[in-house]
Amino acid sequence: MIGNGKRLVAAALALAATLAPTTVAYASPEASASPTVADPVRALDRIAHPLLSTDPGTGTADLRALGAIVGDAKVVGLGEATHGSHEFFALKDRVFRYLVEQKGFTTFALEMSWSAGLRIDDYLQHGNGDARQVVHETMAGSPWDREEFVTLVQWMHDHNRQHPDRPVHFLGDDIGAPSLDELVFDTVTDYVRRTHPESLPRVNDLLTGLRPLDDAFGYLNNRPLAERQQNAARARQLLKLMESQGRAGDDDFEFALQNARNIVQTYTFLTVNVDDPASLTAMERYRDQVMAETTMWWQRRTGGRILLSAADGHVGYTATDPTTYPKTQGSFLHDALGVDYLSIGTTFDRGSFLSKDQAIGGDWKTFTVPPAGPGTNEYTLDQVRYRDYYTDLRKVPATARNWLDISRPTYDVGTQFPNSTTPELAIGRAYDVLFHLHTVREASKL
């Protein structure tokens, strides 16, 4: 259990989804015996919309139905069944461009650190540098240090040069790991220096021992739990002090306060006890709560609409491992926003992706899985008449609803592959909308 706990926390600190990775999704005997496969296929045939391409810049006619499905939602979560497939990354780029141009979306949010998101957004608003360098510097070691994200960031940068009256933004909604950028600390101290210099000595005193945080996983491994708990308490004192340093509605104050909040969130997460399964579960729940709260804070601050990119298990309402992940970001967002949140999951039948083997801190490698077997979600989904498609699961007729609401094996690949367990999911309970792709290939390394 100790090793598993460290792997889970390492994955979180690496800013990859911490959902349990999967082996090849073989069917369980119960699933294989189901006689109703034809019902969901016929039902999905009637309501599925063909997806002609995943790559951006290939027209938008096939996405018009998606625009109608999105409607007036303020936050749209778009998942990925693997953290390392070209098609999922490219699809997010293509969908985001469409939502910006046709639905007025303004932010691309990603499950990466708050401070890394600030660095990318600063480049989008002010930078004249190289998108490749920006992506590599902010995403190094993560699943998203890929050519597909260079393409996305470059498009966002070019969009802002061409449309300064309606700029787009990049948001990192996660805790400050694998490091807490000095930018976060500087934002807090600079604000206090400008507005309440008399409070600066106390702020600096509270930050002693908290800054810098260059290696969150090293900090977790090398500092005793009592010390980590004490540092989290110091961070909470900092936040309480900061709350008295301004007034609600003042943008500079609200921004500084959010940076102080990120310090608290990060040091709170780092109080996890990797030897205690209950502590691991509590902190994974807390991380999803943090991502949801950060996304909602940004949406309130900007008033804009957000495409939220994360693993399927973060954007959905349930995860494949509900014991470890009892409440997801998507569930938190749905509780807060209701119909203003839309969850879109993804599935694929076969193909390759980048992931890591079981070694903590190992290299990203290419893995390939065969067509999904009978009794899996993908086996049935791949029988729909379109090679690639999307569908509003809320519109599935009652004859197929039972099939959607039954948990069965599914491909769900995190940052370590393979694992000894086979994830199962009831896709109708997890998502509002589903994209299904026939095949995927590994993302392109920089």
Side-chain angles (χ1 to χ4, degrees):
M1 189 64 211
I2 293 175
N4 288 339
K6 288 185 176 180
R7 276 195 290 272
L8 284 170
V9 175
L13 298 182
L15 296 181
T18 52
L19 297 175
T22 176
T23 56
V24 175
Y26 294 111
S28 64
E30 294 84 356
S32 300
S34 173
T36 59
V37 169
D39 289 338
V41 172
R42 285 197 297 267
L44 291 170
D45 269 341
R46 292 196 294 271
I47 65 172
H49 304 280
L51 180 71
L52 301 183
S53 175
T54 57
D55 289 331
T58 52
T60 61
D62 59 329
L63 295 180
R64 290 174 187 162
L66 180 65
I69 292 170
V70 167
D72 296 325
K74 294 178 180 178
V75 179
V76 173
L78 179 52
E80 56 200 38
T82 82
H83 267 327
S85 293
H86 165 80
E87 285 75 11
F88 293 135
F89 294 167
L91 176 65
K92 294 184 181 196
D93 186 349
R94 185 175 183 230
V95 168
F96 181 64
R97 296 188 194 191
Y98 172 78
L99 293 177
V100 169
E101 294 170 345
Q102 302 297 325
K103 303 290 289 185
F105 276 58
T106 58
T107 296
F108 185 94
L110 181 63
E111 57 165 313
M112 67 184 300
S113 75
W114 162 257
S115 57
L118 293 181
R119 294 288 186 187
I120 296 175
D121 195 56
D122 181 70
Y123 167 72
L124 297 181
Q125 309 311 317
H126 310 294
N128 296 311
D130 177 61
R132 183 181 307 277
Q133 180 180 357
V134 171
V135 168
H136 184 59
E137 288 178 352
T138 56
M139 299 185 178
S142 80
W144 309 292
D145 185 18
R146 306 285 172 240
E147 290 288 350
E148 290 83 359
F149 275 87
V150 173
T151 301
L152 169 64
V153 171
Q154 185 64 61
W155 179 85
M156 295 175 73
H157 179 272
D158 293 345
H159 171 91
N160 285 358
R161 302 289 81 75
Q162 297 164 12
H163 305 283
D165 57 324
R166 47 187 180 95
V168 292
H169 295 271
F170 198 104
L171 168 66
D173 69 352
D174 211 338
I175 58 173
S179 64
L180 255 177
D181 197 301
E182 281 295 302
L183 173 64
V184 176
F185 296 106
D186 289 344
T187 300
V188 173
T189 55
D190 289 350
Y191 173 81
V192 174
R193 184 180 293 109
R194 291 194 317 270
T195 62
H196 293 81
E198 73 282 359
S199 299
L200 188 59
R202 177 57 176 159
V203 168
N204 284 330
D205 178 62
L206 289 170
L207 288 175
T208 300
L210 300 183
R211 69 183 302 181
L213 181 64
D214 296 327
D215 179 7
F217 191 55
Y219 170 86
L220 181 69
N221 272 339
N222 299 322
R223 305 289 185 91
L225 178 59
E227 180 183 346
R228 289 184 277 122
Q229 291 171 335
Q230 188 176 53
N231 282 339
R234 292 174 68 87
R236 290 192 295 272
Q237 291 178 53
L238 171 68
L239 179 60
K240 185 175 181 179
L241 174 60
M242 284 298 296
E243 289 171 343
S244 67
Q245 302 297 297
R247 56 183 178 80
D250 178 274
D251 191 63
D252 285 347
F253 168 66
E254 296 283 3
F255 186 66
L257 192 63
Q258 173 60 23
N259 280 270
R261 194 176 292 120
N262 187 251
I263 296 171
V264 173
Q265 292 162 343
T266 301
Y267 276 97
T268 298
F269 183 83
L270 291 173
T271 62
V272 62
N273 182 353
V274 297
D275 297 332
D276 179 3
S279 178
L280 286 166
T281 297
M283 284 305 153
E284 292 301 346
R285 185 185 191 278
Y286 178 71
R287 180 177 171 234
D288 272 68
Q289 179 181 344
V290 165
M291 291 192 289
E293 290 177 349
T294 302
T295 300
M296 289 185 290
W297 179 86
W298 184 272
Q299 197 282 321
R300 290 192 301 269
R301 180 177 185 244
T302 65
R305 306 175 73 183
I306 299 173
L307 180 68
L308 172 64
S309 172
D312 275 344
H314 288 308
V315 304
Y317 302 126
T318 62
T320 54
D321 183 5
T323 300
T324 304
Y325 306 93
K327 191 172 177 68
T328 65
Q329 180 185 20
S331 182
F332 281 112
L333 287 169
H334 184 265
D335 288 349
L337 299 176
V339 296
D340 282 333
Y341 177 69
L342 184 77
S343 170
I344 304 178
T346 60
T347 54
F348 70 104
D349 182 65
R350 66 193 73 185
S352 60
F353 47 84
L354 295 172
S355 189
K356 299 183 180 184
D357 59 25
Q358 293 298 301
I360 296 175
D363 295 331
W364 294 93
K365 301 176 181 179
T366 299
F367 296 87
T368 302
V369 293
T376 65
N377 282 319
E378 293 86 353
Y379 179 82
T380 299
L381 293 169
D382 209 57
Q383 295 181 45
V384 173
R385 57 177 169 157
Y386 301 119
R387 176 182 173 87
D388 299 328
Y389 62 91
Y390 60 94
T391 186
D392 188 341
L393 299 177
R394 299 166 300 180
K395 300 292 181 64
V396 173
T399 54
R401 190 75 237 176
N402 286 342
W403 185 88
L404 289 172
D405 289 344
I406 294 174
S407 184
R408 54 177 56 82
T410 197
Y411 284 134
D412 182 20
V413 181
T415 53
Q416 277 90 36
F417 185 89
N419 203 336
S420 59
T421 59
T422 299
E424 294 193 0
L425 189 71
I427 58 175
R429 298 183 185 275
Y431 315 120
D432 298 313
V433 180
L434 182 74
F435 273 93
H436 177 75
L437 306 181
H438 176 66
T439 187
V440 298
R441 64 174 173 84
E442 68 272 20
S444 303
K445 296 181 180 180
L446 287 182

